[in-house]
Each structure stands twice: as structure tokens, then as C-alpha cells.
Amino acid sequence: MKPLIIANWKMNPSTIKEAKELFNKVKKTGAIICAPFTYLSELKSDNLCAQNCYWEASGPYTGEISLDMLKDLGVAYVIIGHSERRVHFKETDEMINKKLKATLATDLRPILCIGEKKGEDAKEVIKKQLEQDLNGISKKDLDRIIIAYEPVWAIGTGDFCEASKAKESLESIKEKLNNKVLYGGSVNSKISKDYIDVGFDGLLVGGASLKVDEFIKINQNV
Ligand code: PGA
């Protein structure tokens, strides 16, 4: 099966013009594009992904975006629990669990990010995050979740986790779940295939997804 490639643009690029240009150059890859909220309505694709959501349907939650709002724009996926949200915005496993449940009540597909910080034991962190984030989710709903294993120390640092090492975490996830599992963390075109070769179902690409040629190569190489 073709690996699933996801581009996480994070808070980039700075203008709608640049976002459209980037999108038009990379859309032929068929990758899922996680664009900032304000660009989602401008990009026409069945493979659009939001980078976050809120679990309530509407109400006094200044600054938040509901799943219905995303659905109304034709968004098909949403990233939940990215480490940048866990670290900078103090998202807890309890909040992530609520976001997952709210997403699974719609037809959007959640991409749940998990992974250890530097010095932490990957296996223990994966176990704890999966237990807490997936708490109370039915087996049927569980199957719709895409898991992204992203060691926090590898994100945006250039210090990727070697595929042979990442495979150990993949195995500890697959011991518990039958879901699609992606690798993320400083992916580039030279190493992209290594993760697919060790059994990952795809990649979550941050920095390199903003570089057109490099992103196209990542897609071609897998
Ligand atoms: P990176 O980001 O590829 O820049 O390390 C990955 C991510 O944050 O999803």
C-alpha cells in the first residue's frame, strides 16, 4: 500500500499568496496538507488537515475552532496532541482524550501524535500516552485513528531518530494497536524510505514540507 505522507506546515507560510503557491506546487504528490486554519478554506483538496481543534461544538471559547467549523470547510483530518501543543500550550492527555473523542464523533480522522522527550524512556511514554489519550474510546472508533510516533527531541532539530531505533517504538505501538503508524521528526528525502522499509505506514513531515523540491523527493523516494 502507498505510504501516507502528511505535510505539517505549522505556522507557515506568512501569506495566503505563498500558501497557495506552495500548495499548487506540491498537490500532485497527493500528500495530506496540514495548513494553518486561515488557509484551509482557500486550498481545494480532499486531503486537507487542521493542526488542532476544540472539543466543544460551540460557545464562549474565544480563539478556538470547532470540528463542525472544520467540517464545513471540507477538512478531512485533524492533528491532535502534537508535541508543540503539549509543550507550548500545556495540552494534557486529558484534553487530548476529549479532542479525540469529539473528532471521532464526526467523520474527520484524527492523527494522534505521541513520543518521548530527550532522556525519557520511549516505551514507557508511549504506553502512558496511549493509555491516557485513548481512554474510553471504543474499538470501532479506535481503528479510525492514525498514530504519529514523533520523538520530541527529533522534531525540528535535524537530529532524526534512526529508522532502526524508531522501529522499536513502532513495535511497542503495534503490540497494542493495529492502526496505521507514521514516523515524524526531521524527516528528509535521504532517510524517508528507511522508515517505510522498517514497517512505518507513512511519514509526518514538518520543516521539509515547506521546501518544494525536497518534499517532492520525499514523496518520490518512499
Ligand atoms: P519536523 O517536524 O519534520 O520539522 O521535525 C515534524 C512535526 O513536527 O510533525
Side-chain angles (χ1 to χ4, degrees):
M1 208 150 102
K2 195 173 174 288
L4 193 62
I5 307 295
I6 306 191
N8 178 13
W9 288 359
K10 311 193 182 192
M11 201 169 71
N12 299 291
S14 300
T15 65
I16 210 141
K17 185 169 173 285
E18 290 167 283
K20 281 186 182 168
E21 281 168 8
L22 176 59
F23 180 74
N24 286 334
K25 288 179 184 154
V26 299
K27 68 179 176 199
K28 62 174 183 243
T29 61
I32 294 169
I33 307 288
C34 310
F37 287 134
T38 53
Y39 301 158
L40 289 170
S41 60
E42 298 291 324
L43 308 177
K44 298 284 164 263
S45 162
D46 294 335
N47 278 341
L48 284 182
C49 179
Q51 299 172 11
N52 183 28
C53 66
Y54 193 57
W55 60 81
E56 294 289 351
S58 63
Y61 306 104
T62 303
E64 293 298 318
I65 303 277
S66 75
L67 286 145
D68 285 345
M69 293 171 186
L70 295 174
K71 196 176 165 203
D72 191 42
L73 294 181
V75 172
Y77 301 85
V78 57
I79 296 182
I80 295 184
H82 190 281
S83 68
E84 286 155 12
R85 298 219 51 93
R86 293 180 190 255
V87 172
H88 303 310
F89 305 101
K90 307 284 178 280
E91 279 193 16
T92 62
D93 290 301
E94 198 186 347
M95 291 161 79
I96 289 161
N97 179 251
K98 284 188 188 171
K99 290 184 180 198
L100 277 175
K101 285 178 176 160
T103 304
L104 291 165
T106 71
D107 51 15
L108 272 81
R109 256 187 109 170
I111 300 160
L112 169 66
C113 299
I114 56 171
E116 80 286 0
K117 295 190 184 129
K118 202 165 197 76
E120 287 180 340
D121 182 83
K123 208 173 167 148
E124 264 173 41
V125 171
I126 288 168
K127 183 170 180 285
K128 180 180 150 284
Q129 287 181 334
L130 288 180
E131 263 169 28
Q132 297 185 1
D133 298 349
L134 303 178
N135 183 31
I137 294 176
S138 71
K139 171 77 184 78
K140 184 171 138 281
D141 280 347
L142 208 56
D143 290 343
R144 291 183 47 226
I145 303 174
I146 297 165
I147 308 281
Y149 169 62
E150 300 204 296
V152 180
W153 50 268
I155 296 180
T157 57
D159 186 18
F160 53 84
C161 177
E162 300 273 353
S164 56
K165 181 93 188 111
K167 183 174 184 250
E168 294 170 17
S169 297
L170 171 68
E171 281 163 0
S172 56
I173 298 167
K174 292 273 184 182
E175 262 169 37
K176 298 177 182 61
L177 301 169
N178 205 9
N179 296 44
K180 273 193 193 308
V181 183
L182 317 178
Y183 168 80
S186 295
V187 169
N188 66 52
S189 61
K190 292 193 186 76
I191 55 166
S192 52
K193 187 166 181 296
D194 299 351
Y195 299 95
I196 309 305
D197 289 346
V198 299
F200 281 95
D201 301 293
L203 300 165
L204 180 48
V205 186
S209 72
L210 299 167
K211 301 178 195 144
V212 174
D213 294 345
E214 176 65 0
F215 187 62
I216 290 174
K217 264 194 224 153
I218 288 174
N219 280 271
Q220 285 167 345
N221 291 355
V222 292

